[in-house]
Amino acid sequence: MRLKKLISMVGPSDYAAIIQGQTGVGKELVAESLHDASRRKGKFVAVNCAAIPRDLMEAELFGYEKGAFTGAVKTTPGKFEQANKGTLFLDEIGDMNLDLQSKLLRVLENSIVTRVGGRADIQLDVRVVCATHKDLEELVKQNKFREDLLFRLNVFPIQVPTLRERLDDIPEIVTHFLQDNSYVSANEAPFGFDKSGFEALTTYEWPGNIRELRNILERAKVFFPGQSINREQVTQTLLGFDQNAFFDQVEENENIWSALDELGGAERGHEADESAPPTAKISRGCLIAPTVLMLGGFSEIWR
């Protein structure tokens, strides 16, 4: 609630912000929320500073002119120009190299970019929002991050809490994902969690935060379609997936069904013998939670 309140206060400002938090907590979602709260007319443009090679990062951010380098067959605007009148989100800013940091500082100070291979200055109106899971102050001490850039970016520091700091939110987060049409398609069997299943989810440490929770739900879609997932299924299959144990259980269930089919076939064979006493017929469609008593073989089946 405090984070949402801070977003509503900081959003309308045009100043830079740094979003800090562990991997998977939802830093980009916070950045998007800041953009929505800003009411800026331009687009929200995201760049992952750790995913783009260093020698391409400058061209990616500032654009390039035709012929500026091999492969530059046409003039291309950079991410700054694409985010004009909007918000540029620089994810993993701590991975940006020092040379590019100095050029970024210049852009932040005068709101002017120059394309690679170009001479003309381009005036822009872009709000820059950054995110990192690293300690930028420690990087400054190690001479891996410019102190002046940190001062320029760190106007509004926003800390995103980890999932283990708000475990009570898990049921609502799960419900949100399961109700998201883009997450669960219409042809997939719906699934959920019973009370014990939710208790298991809320006692886990969640080192991967929201991203890990979403991955767990993806796993649940595959392994437990149409089921109400309990504590044992959460702990043994979803949180601590043991491939051998999982398939051992599957094979055990298949063996049980096979034995029941054989027993049902034997009973149908006895129906031809009028002297045989009547027995209950068994089918997979009506069998619910069978308990099989082993007395040298299948002797009784309780339903």
Side-chain angles (χ1 to χ4, degrees):
M1 293 176 63
R2 291 176 176 175
L3 176 62
K4 293 174 68 176
K5 179 64 176 178
L6 185 59
I7 291 172
S8 66
M9 295 172 63
V10 174
S13 171
D14 289 329
Y15 290 103
I18 291 183
I19 305 169
Q20 295 178 308
Q22 294 182 4
T23 299
V25 295
K27 296 187 289 294
E28 184 167 351
L29 182 61
V30 173
E32 291 175 355
S33 299
L34 285 172
H35 174 71
D36 293 339
S38 71
R39 299 183 294 274
R40 297 178 68 86
K41 297 180 181 179
K43 297 189 299 182
F44 175 85
V45 179
V47 179
N48 189 330
C49 299
I52 301 174
R54 291 189 174 186
D55 53 347
L56 297 179
M57 192 63 182
E58 182 177 357
E60 185 75 13
L61 287 178
F62 307 132
Y64 53 88
E65 296 288 344
K66 179 180 178 180
F69 50 83
T70 302
V73 296
K74 64 177 181 179
T75 298
T76 303
K79 297 298 185 182
F80 268 98
E81 290 182 71
Q82 296 174 30
N84 193 28
K85 304 294 183 181
T87 302
L88 177 64
F89 174 55
L90 300 177
D91 196 9
E92 301 301 345
I93 186 69
D95 291 305
M96 182 178 288
N97 67 75
L98 289 172
D99 290 338
L100 195 56
Q101 288 178 30
S102 62
K103 296 178 180 179
L104 175 61
L105 179 62
R106 176 177 176 272
V107 174
L108 292 174
E109 289 177 343
N110 55 30
S111 299
I112 293 176
V113 299
T114 304
R115 293 173 183 161
V116 176
R119 297 182 179 179
D121 291 338
I122 303 173
Q123 188 75 40
L124 299 174
D125 174 19
V126 178
R127 183 187 191 179
V128 175
V129 176
C130 304
T132 181
H133 69 281
K134 297 183 177 181
D135 185 341
L136 294 183
E137 293 183 357
E138 182 62 30
L139 292 181
V140 169
K141 294 178 182 178
Q142 299 174 9
N143 295 321
K144 295 181 179 179
F145 200 85
R146 292 181 62 102
E147 186 176 30
D148 49 1
L149 177 59
L150 177 59
F151 290 149
R152 187 65 180 79
L153 291 173
N154 203 24
V155 180
F156 292 112
I158 299 175
Q159 186 71 36
V160 184
T162 61
L163 183 55
R164 61 179 171 272
E165 294 179 76
R166 53 191 189 101
L167 294 172
D168 290 343
D169 291 345
I170 287 179
E172 293 187 44
I173 296 172
V174 170
T175 300
H176 166 74
F177 280 136
L178 297 186
Q179 292 177 347
D180 186 353
N181 293 331
S182 64
Y183 178 76
V184 181
S185 60
N187 60 351
E188 291 177 332
F191 66 93
F193 296 86
D194 65 13
K195 183 178 179 180
S196 68
F198 273 122
E199 288 177 350
L201 291 176
T202 55
T203 55
Y204 181 60
E205 287 295 320
W206 296 107
N209 296 291
I210 302 292
R211 183 178 294 121
E212 183 182 9
L213 175 58
R214 184 158 188 164
N215 291 343
I216 290 299
L217 297 181
E218 292 283 0
R219 188 179 297 172
K221 281 199 302 183
V222 175
F223 291 152
F224 304 112
Q227 298 187 41
S228 180
I229 303 171
N230 59 35
R231 176 187 293 274
E232 183 178 0
Q233 291 168 321
V234 169
T235 57
Q236 295 186 6
T237 304
L238 297 184
L239 296 180
F241 180 57
D242 185 334
Q243 179 174 307
N244 293 329
F246 176 76
F247 283 106
D248 286 344
Q249 182 64 38
V250 171
E251 292 171 1
E252 180 181 348
N253 292 338
E254 290 177 347
N255 291 335
I256 291 175
W257 283 120
S258 178
L260 292 176
D261 286 342
E262 293 176 2
L263 182 59
E267 289 177 347
R268 287 191 293 273
H270 284 302
E271 289 177 358
D273 184 358
E274 296 180 356
S275 62
T279 57
K281 295 181 179 180
I282 301 170
S283 67
R284 293 193 184 190
C286 65
L287 186 64
I288 301 176
T291 301
V292 182
L293 301 181
M294 303 294 295
L295 299 175
F298 290 100
S299 60
E300 295 185 35
I301 298 179
W302 298 87
R303 295 173 51 190

